Amino acid sequence: LKRFAIVHHIHAISFRCSGQHCPHKSQKQHQSMALSMSATDSARRALCAAASVAARGAVRGAAPLAVAPSQRFFGSKNLCFSDRSTRILRNRTGEVVPTTDAFWEYVADEQSVNDAAKYQNNTENYIGTVKYPVGLIGPLKINGEHAKREYHVPMATHEGALLASYSRGAKAITMAGGCNVRIKDRSMLRAPVFFFDNIAHANDFYRFCNDPDMKAKLSAHIEKNVNHCKVTSLRIIQTDRKVHISIGIDSDAAAGQNKVTYAGDIVMQTMKEWYPKDIPESYIEGGFNAGKRVSVLHALLGKGHSVVIDTVIPKAVCEKILHTTPYRLQRFQKMHNRTNEFMGGISCTAHVANGLAAFYIANGQDPACTAESQAAVTHFDLWKDTPATRTEDGSLYASMTLNSVIVATVGGGVNLPAFKAARDITGVTNVNELAELCAAVALSGEVSFYAAMESGEFTSAHWNMTHK
């Protein structure tokens, strides 16, 4: 099992780095990713030697593992644990796992099993696919810098009434002339942490790293060694005897979650070479990045695409489509936000996680990033069309700040067959366009949700649409 773990890790890295988007620029960087980031040099050499011996043993026909021959490693021809010819499902150790007829029809169906090779870099112990219901909203008109037309958007959910609501919000925005979107910043984060014996030693390291010349030198070193990577920020933070180096990068069309990890590894190795004193311990992440969980960091500083969006919806459109008035709608939204703040909420929105998750799943994004992306703020106000407009006759001003939209058009699972087919409906051609579209979808849901709550239609809509 130890041999399997080592070779398995080597295979996983080699597959991940075999494509045209490999972020490493040297074989040495490939090897370093397979090693413990806090191990000593001698331990690293020992692990490399052990891995090499294990790999050679596997090639020369060492004792087989207790799994079916076709299911030992990622490199085997059969990459699926589901055998449709015998209708037998096995786990990694070769044990038979009980199934039903429905499993072979809906999970390990013929196409899913035949397409196993397409998933080899994304899903370990592959057995098939799950069909998630996908609906369509739109047209949704966007007046952005990258998204500049009307869109139809696929969204994946099994929550009744959700897409009807998002569709209604999109209709109201489009009838109002569309929404304006701007991208403020792009920066994926990773924060390696360095441990010292006491605060004085940690502070010495903090001052060394925080020197402007050192930060410039380190940024250039990262960009030189990681493809498709532009350093956008280096924040040095000391907390007691720990020092975090928060690295922000722009990774072009990729989300950058892997690339910034490679950048973090380079920073760790480089600091051990450049810093003249001893660094007792270091780890690739000390928690400052707050990955896959909601945090004030994501609401204020941002992660991924930082996006702002607004629209002005006339009173006539509010009354016809949203069944309320701008005055009543903005009053209710402000009350809702104040209560959310009183309860200590980080995300001051109605239900933005609903739309983000549905958008991410259908379009091949990482749904776990919903945790970070939902750290957003929605704001409604009354818009006076002219100075003479009375309060009750104004239009609705609706806006959002989404500082952590995490999307990509390359890498990860974005181009797996079903995800790409669904995303092709949008006609999106670049990652900035996708981020602006995501923000517009989020605003559509906010407008409709608050309107349903204020008008008293929320409960009846859910009942009627889920009891047909």
Side-chain angles (χ1 to χ4, degrees), residues 72-91:
R72 289 179 189 165
F73 303 110
F74 283 126
S76 62
K77 293 181 180 179
N78 185 355
L79 302 174
C80 183
F81 286 7
S82 304
D83 188 341
R84 282 187 57 83
S85 64
T86 60
R87 288 210 161 196
I88 293 177
L89 171 66
R90 297 181 185 274
N91 65 13

Side-chain angles (χ1 to χ4, degrees), residues 362-439:
N363 292 279
Q365 310 305 309
D366 185 347
C369 290
T370 302
E372 296 134 303
S373 300
Q374 68 170 313
V377 177
T378 301
H379 177 72
F380 287 4
D381 212 340
L382 202 63
W383 181 269
K384 292 186 178 182
D385 301 298
T386 68
T389 302
R390 291 188 302 116
T391 299
E392 295 81 2
D393 295 330
S395 299
L396 175 71
Y397 176 82
S399 67
M400 289 190 77
T401 300
L402 301 102
N403 277 339
S404 297
V405 174
I406 301 175
V407 293
T409 53
V410 300
V414 299
N415 287 317
L416 290 175
F419 298 142
K420 185 177 185 306
R423 195 172 66 256
D424 283 347
I425 295 173
T426 67
V428 165
T429 59
N430 65 76
V431 70
N432 290 331
E433 184 182 8
L434 188 65
E436 291 185 352
L437 176 58
C438 181

